[in-house]
Amino acid sequence: MTPDLWMLVSFLALLVIGVPVSFSLGLSGAVGILAGLSPNMLATLGTNTWNSVAKYPLIAIPLFILTGLIFERAGVAARLVRFAQALIGPRHGGLAVVAVLVCMIMGGMSGSGPADAAAVAMVMLPSMTRAGYPRPFSATLIAASASTAILIPPSVALILYSIVVPGVDLRALFAAGLFPGILAGLSLLIPALLLSRHYGWEDPREVERPPLGESFRQAIPALFAPVLILGGLRSGLFTPTEAAVVAVAYGVVVGLVLTRELSWRDLWELLGEAAVVSGVVMLIIALAGIFAWAGTTLGTFRHLAEWVIGLSDNGALLLVLIMLAVLAAGMLLDAISIYLIMMPILIPVMQHFGWNPVWFGILLAMNIAIGQFTPPVAVNLMVTTEVAKIRLEQTVGWALLFVVAMASSLALVAFFPEIALWLPRVLGYNV
């Protein structure tokens, strides 16, 4: 076999036997070096892992992870749920609308789908179950809604995309993800409302409406968080990395002073929890550096890109095939791994067909978002089913329904790129 095949086959074999993605990337990269280069080149392993993580924008990832954990512990989700209930009022499907809206707002604070899914599920699932919603439906709806966190800024996945793809403005990506994220959330509301009315879930006569004024007052700190982050970015007051620092500081103030549901002991525990989660992400990025260096030096990525381009001269058809491949990858891998593995191959394809990198990044993010609640490995769904105390297989039917719904919003963004590109153009960002 050629060195290219040795590297790729070893990577797939390691994944199949259950080796974690990070170590699969590092070990297969080492195999490629041994198969196609001098064994002396193994001396580059340390340099490549360091170079992969020694990038200033990556500081934002652990900070936004910490932000999500702080807001989750500070009782923000419960206050947002109460305000959304007061705003929407008692009606068939009202709690379903509340779940989607709260997930979208929480996504504007943390950029992490699993964290949002956990926070909203713990608050919403008991209420939805009492109102007559089946637990598999509720768990799936929350998991699907939480996946919009990968689109609505700030997004951890989009931060990584801006690092992997040279010349892409992270502020433009954040702005470009806003409308597609809202569109994805709205696409989930349509089947949720239709099903609620069809089955008569949530009798309006049995639901108490919280007072609007009081619930709005309690939700103001949570509602102000996305405004602070996005407003600061737009005004140039701080960079995306600095925005992560501001978000953490604001979350601490909200939890300790305003809601008073966060203690100093809790904060210390959250720092440790964020360090563990961030360590996993950074380990993947670090060891992927070995894989990326080996694939670039051997020409593996160039060969794969040429093969993909040779599949068809029709850019639209090839885009559909790529989206299907990313969707399949999203069912098995996390967003960080998908970007690190696939982008070295897809960047030459994107450049060959002249696809806008900001628009293409949003399409990939929407596809990965769908994968986050699509079995067999649906990270958001695993979180919500654990909270709901149900089996993952009970959600498959509902998950497929929401996959179709969000895929329709993906198709709209693919056919009409200005849905994603209009806002960054208006804001003056480089697209």
Side-chain angles (χ1 to χ4, degrees), residues 37-91:
L37 302 171
S38 167
N40 294 333
M41 299 305 290
L42 290 175
T44 64
L45 296 184
T47 304
N48 287 323
T49 52
W50 167 251
N51 289 339
S52 298
V53 294
K55 296 172 182 176
Y56 176 70
L58 284 178
I59 298 172
I61 292 179
L63 289 172
F64 277 126
I65 290 172
L66 178 59
T67 301
L69 294 173
I70 289 173
F71 275 111
E72 177 187 344
R73 189 71 63 89
V76 166
R79 285 166 169 78
L80 287 173
V81 166
R82 185 172 173 82
F83 171 61
Q85 286 177 310
L87 199 63
I88 293 166
R91 65 187 67 217

Side-chain angles (χ1 to χ4, degrees), residues 387-403:
V387 175
K389 305 299 181 186
I390 57 174
R391 298 191 309 275
L392 185 67
E393 51 266 30
Q394 292 178 260
T395 66
V396 172
W398 300 118
L400 292 177
L401 175 65
F402 291 127
V403 165

Side-chain angles (χ1 to χ4, degrees), residues 21-336:
V21 174
S22 56
F23 293 107
S24 297
L25 287 167
L27 290 172
S28 58
V31 169
I33 291 172
L34 289 172
L37 302 171
S38 167
N40 294 333
M41 299 305 290
L42 290 175
T44 64
L45 296 184
T47 304
N48 287 323
T49 52
W50 167 251
N51 289 339
S52 298
V53 294
K55 296 172 182 176
Y56 176 70
L58 284 178
I59 298 172
I61 292 179
L63 289 172
F64 277 126
I65 290 172
L66 178 59
T67 301
L69 294 173
I70 289 173
F71 275 111
E72 177 187 344
R73 189 71 63 89
V76 166
R79 285 166 169 78
L80 287 173
V81 166
R82 185 172 173 82
F83 171 61
Q85 286 177 310
L87 199 63
I88 293 166
R91 65 187 67 217
H92 290 301
L95 287 176
V97 176
V98 168
V100 174
L101 292 180
V102 172
C103 282
M104 292 169 66
I105 297 173
M106 290 289 291
M109 300 178 196
S110 69
S112 171
D116 295 348
V120 178
M122 285 188 287
V123 177
M124 289 296 304
L125 275 170
S127 300
M128 295 182 75
T129 302
R130 286 194 299 269
Y133 293 87
R135 281 187 296 171
F137 169 84
S138 304
T140 310
L141 177 64
I142 294 171
S145 304
S147 72
T148 60
I150 203 175
L151 291 162
I152 297 174
S155 164
V156 171
L158 293 181
I159 293 171
L160 185 61
Y161 179 85
S162 71
I163 296 171
V164 174
V165 181
V168 176
D169 187 349
L170 179 56
R171 296 172 303 167
L173 278 172
F174 277 179
L178 184 60
F179 286 154
I182 294 172
L183 182 63
L186 293 177
S187 70
L188 299 173
L189 283 179
I190 297 173
L193 285 172
L194 291 176
L195 288 167
S196 299
R197 291 173 181 171
H198 177 74
Y199 290 108
W201 296 331
E202 188 178 352
D203 188 344
R205 295 168 297 181
E206 299 178 1
V207 178
E208 182 182 352
R209 185 173 192 168
L212 182 59
E214 176 63 19
S215 58
F216 174 68
R217 186 186 64 80
Q218 293 181 355
I220 286 176
L223 296 172
F224 184 68
V227 176
L228 175 66
I229 296 170
L230 300 180
L233 288 173
R234 174 66 190 98
S235 65
L237 189 62
F238 38 72
T239 67
T241 305
E242 292 164 348
V245 180
V246 172
V248 170
Y250 179 71
V252 171
V253 171
V254 169
L256 291 177
V257 179
L258 299 180
T259 67
R260 297 184 180 180
E261 293 192 23
L262 188 69
S263 67
W264 288 107
R265 182 182 294 275
D266 292 332
L267 186 58
W268 178 255
E269 293 175 358
L270 292 176
L271 286 170
E273 190 175 339
V276 171
V277 176
S278 303
V280 173
V281 173
M282 290 301 180
L283 183 63
I284 295 173
I285 296 173
L287 295 182
I290 301 172
F291 185 83
W293 186 87
T296 302
T297 306
L298 293 170
T300 305
F301 300 141
R302 186 183 73 254
H303 300 152
L304 287 172
E306 290 170 352
W307 175 76
V308 172
I309 293 170
L311 290 175
S312 175
D313 293 329
N314 188 324
L317 176 60
L318 203 56
L319 181 64
V320 172
L321 294 177
I322 290 172
M323 290 297 106
L324 291 174
V326 174
L327 176 61
M331 296 179 188
L332 303 171
L333 300 172
D334 60 279
I336 303 294

